[in-house]
Amino acid sequence: MESAHLLGSAKKRVKIHPHTVTAKYATHTPYSPQPGVHTHFPQPGDEGYDDAPSFEDFGSFLEETSDKKQLTESRKWPLALFSSKDKDKDTAQKPLGAGGVDGNEGAAKAAKGSGKGVGEQLASFGEASVSASRLTWVGLLGAAVAHGCLIVLTRLASERFSLGPLFLLLVRSIVQLLSVAVPLHRGENPFGPEGYRLRLFCYGIAYSLSLCCAYSSLTFISPGDATTTWRLATTALSATLAFLLLEERLGLADGITIAAGLCGLGLVLLPTEDESNSNSPTDPAVFWKGAFGWSLSALAGLWMALALVSYRSLKERVGVGTALFTVSWTSCLLAPASLVLLQEGWSWPMSAPAWGLVLGLVACSAAAFLGMTHALTRLHPALVSASQSLEVPVAMLLHLAVLTLFPTAPELVGNVMVILSVVWLVAMKLLPSRGAGRRQREEYEEILDSPIK
């Protein structure tokens, strides 16, 4: 490697040896090192001088043995099975094409046509982004419907087959242990990557504690009140915790939409005329039982908000299958402890309809978890929880169809507000304004036209 010397117009030739640095200067001014600095420049003929690699070879050696390149190639190994790596190498070494046009002329032609390709690339990128967003929101709304079905199935199992909520939680957790096949099939550690296992364990404990508190509250208060309180607390606290722990903020439009949905949930929680009758005496045991149930549902919302924010921070390291397995095995530990603590009677399905109900409950819970957890990789935790508020109107419709339970006027108005807020939220995310798209295109073209890239 030849370059101009800093002291004059002399030429320098450098060779690097494992133990010494060789530099031969051809200059009219003798080199004088700084005082107190020991430098040694071996001359030709010394031991090992001719065997030392040149500076260019050393640069390529660093590039080939760098950790960054090894890590990149290790991540790309599945693509190498189907890629045309050798073909690309041959193409790069090919001097001329059939028509005698070299690579520079082809690159110039491609550069001339880049003005037309910008619009096509931007359009394809926008279509891919919108398509991915649509799939995410479809999965998220499907998870909300599955959550609504889960509420009704849990109530049917408790009233018609005397199956306790915590027992149902234990059964679904045991069946969902089969999800360990997903990380094993992908060659991943089912307990998470090294260095993130403690955080993944804390995520599983928080999610399992939320489920245990939510299912335990069904013993003390009605399923509708427990679910609504749980969802309201989860949405409000997930927005707060995401801002405090992850510094993720909500936009003004998103905040207004979520606030409208929370007001709808508040209307659903308004007591009925029978519950608000102050003339009848209140049994202290019934009062404290209801207060304990409301506290458990609010605590479940707190744990669920913490779990959503925790997975949001692990989204790039932990897959959805690994997260499901973590929640399953931690629930297998906490559900029996909750059974013993609350002294809930042990029950077992004794008929085919009961087992069908349990299996349907397991399927709905797995589908809801997958849709919601996948959405966390792209959306704010508060948006994910707010969209799951749709489970309350779905449960109301299913209660009306299956159990013939008619909603009150506040419940009807609150459910309509929840539906409108979720629909408006989805519309804002999937239907961007034309001005925003035009502005993004102008910014993109400005970056491409910039001399600094």
Side-chain angles (χ1 to χ4, degrees), residues 11-46:
K11 301 292 183 179
K12 179 180 67 174
R13 187 175 60 186
V14 179
K15 287 190 176 183
I16 297 180
H17 190 264
H19 303 290
T20 59
V21 178
T22 302
K24 182 179 179 182
Y25 289 87
T27 177
H28 301 288
T29 305
Y31 176 77
S32 59
Q34 299 179 0
V37 178
H38 177 70
T39 54
H40 173 65
F41 301 104
Q43 300 298 321
D46 293 346

Side-chain angles (χ1 to χ4, degrees), residues 115-140:
K116 182 179 179 181
V118 167
E120 297 176 356
Q121 294 177 6
L122 187 61
S124 62
F125 177 77
E127 292 175 359
S129 179
V130 172
S131 177
S133 300
R134 287 174 180 172
L135 292 177
T136 300
W137 280 103
V138 167
L140 196 55

Side-chain angles (χ1 to χ4, degrees), residues 1-2 28 35-36 55 102 144 175 235 252 316 329 355 374 379 383 406 412 453:
M1 174 179 178
E2 295 184 356
H28 301 288
F55 189 76
D102 58 359
V175 176
T235 305
L252 180 59
E316 297 179 356
W329 73 264
W355 275 110
H374 173 71
L379 300 175
L383 297 179
F406 294 94
L412 188 60
K453 294 186 175 65

Side-chain angles (χ1 to χ4, degrees), residues 127-210:
E127 292 175 359
S129 179
V130 172
S131 177
S133 300
R134 287 174 180 172
L135 292 177
T136 300
W137 280 103
V138 167
L140 196 55
L141 297 180
V145 175
H147 271 132
C149 297
L150 193 62
I151 297 171
V152 179
L153 291 176
T154 304
R155 183 167 186 172
L156 288 175
S158 178
E159 294 181 356
R160 297 187 178 182
F161 300 101
S162 300
L163 300 177
L166 289 175
F167 170 76
L168 296 175
L169 175 61
L170 179 59
V171 171
R172 60 177 270 192
S173 301
I174 293 175
V175 176
Q176 288 173 357
L177 287 176
L178 299 175
S179 61
V180 70
V182 176
L184 291 179
H185 176 71
R186 296 180 177 179
E188 302 174 357
N189 193 320
F191 296 98
E194 187 176 358
Y196 295 89
R197 293 172 185 171
L198 180 59
R199 295 170 60 183
L200 182 62
F201 174 73
C202 293
Y203 157 75
I205 290 295
Y207 203 105
S208 301
L209 283 175
S210 175

Side-chain angles (χ1 to χ4, degrees), residues 14 49 66 72 104 120 182 184 187 220 300 357:
V14 179
Y49 178 83
S66 62
T72 305
N104 294 330
E120 297 176 356
V182 176
L184 291 179
F220 305 99
L357 196 64

Side-chain angles (χ1 to χ4, degrees), residues 169-318:
L169 175 61
L170 179 59
V171 171
R172 60 177 270 192
S173 301
I174 293 175
V175 176
Q176 288 173 357
L177 287 176
L178 299 175
S179 61
V180 70
V182 176
L184 291 179
H185 176 71
R186 296 180 177 179
E188 302 174 357
N189 193 320
F191 296 98
E194 187 176 358
Y196 295 89
R197 293 172 185 171
L198 180 59
R199 295 170 60 183
L200 182 62
F201 174 73
C202 293
Y203 157 75
I205 290 295
Y207 203 105
S208 301
L209 283 175
S210 175
L211 294 179
C212 290
C213 292
Y215 277 79
S216 299
S217 65
L218 299 178
T219 308
F220 305 99
I221 58 177
S222 64
D225 293 339
T227 303
T228 307
T229 306
W230 178 29
R231 185 55 57 195
L232 192 151
T234 300
T235 305
L237 293 174
S238 60
T240 306
L241 291 179
F243 174 73
L244 295 177
L245 300 179
L246 303 179
E247 296 184 355
E248 291 191 9
R249 297 174 175 84
L250 286 170
L252 180 59
D254 295 337
I256 294 175
T257 307
I258 291 176
L262 293 180
C263 292
L265 293 177
L267 289 177
V268 175
L269 288 176
L270 287 179
T272 60
E273 295 180 359
D274 297 335
E275 295 175 351
S276 60
N277 189 8
S278 59
N279 295 328
S280 60
T282 303
D283 188 2
V286 176
F287 172 78
W288 288 111
K289 181 180 178 181
F292 184 66
W294 289 93
S295 302
L296 282 178
S297 59
L299 187 61
L302 173 62
W303 286 115
M304 180 57 67
L306 186 60
L308 295 180
V309 174
S310 299
Y311 185 79
R312 178 71 175 172
S313 64
L314 296 171
K315 61 179 182 178
E316 297 179 356
R317 298 290 182 177
V318 179

